[in-house]
Amino acid sequence: MGDIVPRQLISLADDEGNSVTVNVLGPSPRWAAGLDAEIVVTTPFVSGRCYLGLSAYRLERWSDALLRLDAGEDVAWLEMSRGASISIQLRGEHNCPEVIVEDETGSMVTVRVPIALPDDWIADHRQRLLQVTNHWVPMLSS
């Protein structure tokens, strides 16, 4: 059997049914240096998804964001780009981290999701990033 293709760059979820994921769909047919991906938000109250274009540069910015999160800082990933952005506040209003997904250019919707994360979630996401980068980035044209 072949290797499993890494698709989940981000998987933030808790036992209450709240989750925010970023799934890599594959190389973009519209952009040789990009990947098609989607942000998926699921809660008992609201669910939705939106398109996200990924590049090697954006994956590097996610790596930087993980370093800052590990240092105890809140982050905004993809904040200054076109399309959706993801922010993570480590100490949210509900005594747990909150993930904020903003899709200002598409649906014009912002969703704030409290998620009780396990202690090892940053290490898990570093591993996810490494797997996604090793598999998908060599396929991209610079």
Side-chain angles (χ1 to χ4, degrees):
M1 294 188 109
D3 293 330
I4 295 172
V5 176
R7 298 217 181 260
Q8 279 198 334
L9 175 64
I10 297 174
S11 179
L12 304 170
D14 65 19
D15 295 337
E16 303 295 320
N18 296 320
S19 69
V20 175
T21 61
V22 172
N23 300 314
V24 178
L25 304 174
S28 175
R30 299 173 299 280
W31 180 31
L35 297 169
D36 283 344
E38 64 180 355
I39 301 172
V40 180
V41 175
T42 305
T43 75
F45 178 67
V46 65
S47 297
R49 66 184 62 230
C50 64
Y51 173 81
L52 178 65
L54 290 177
S55 63
Y57 176 79
R58 287 181 169 188
L59 293 172
E60 290 170 15
R61 297 295 67 81
W62 177 236
S63 178
D64 294 342
L66 289 170
L67 288 172
R68 292 195 324 270
L69 287 162
D70 201 25
E73 298 176 38
D74 296 341
V75 299
W77 181 49
L78 307 175
E79 179 183 44
M80 300 304 289
S81 65
R82 290 182 54 212
S85 67
I86 297 175
S87 299
I88 300 174
Q89 295 178 346
L90 294 172
R91 288 162 198 79
E93 295 176 15
H94 303 282
N95 296 322
C96 68
E98 289 183 344
V99 181
I100 299 102
V101 178
E102 294 183 84
D103 183 28
E104 290 184 4
T105 58
S107 65
M108 296 182 274
V109 170
T110 299
V111 178
R112 179 179 298 266
V113 183
I115 302 177
L117 297 170
D119 292 337
D120 66 343
W121 74 273
I122 294 174
D124 174 57
H125 281 79
R126 284 189 176 128
Q127 184 62 33
R128 290 173 184 278
L129 173 62
L130 181 64
Q131 291 171 348
V132 165
T133 300
N134 288 344
H135 181 82
W136 294 106
V137 170
M139 296 180 197
L140 305 178
S141 302
S142 343

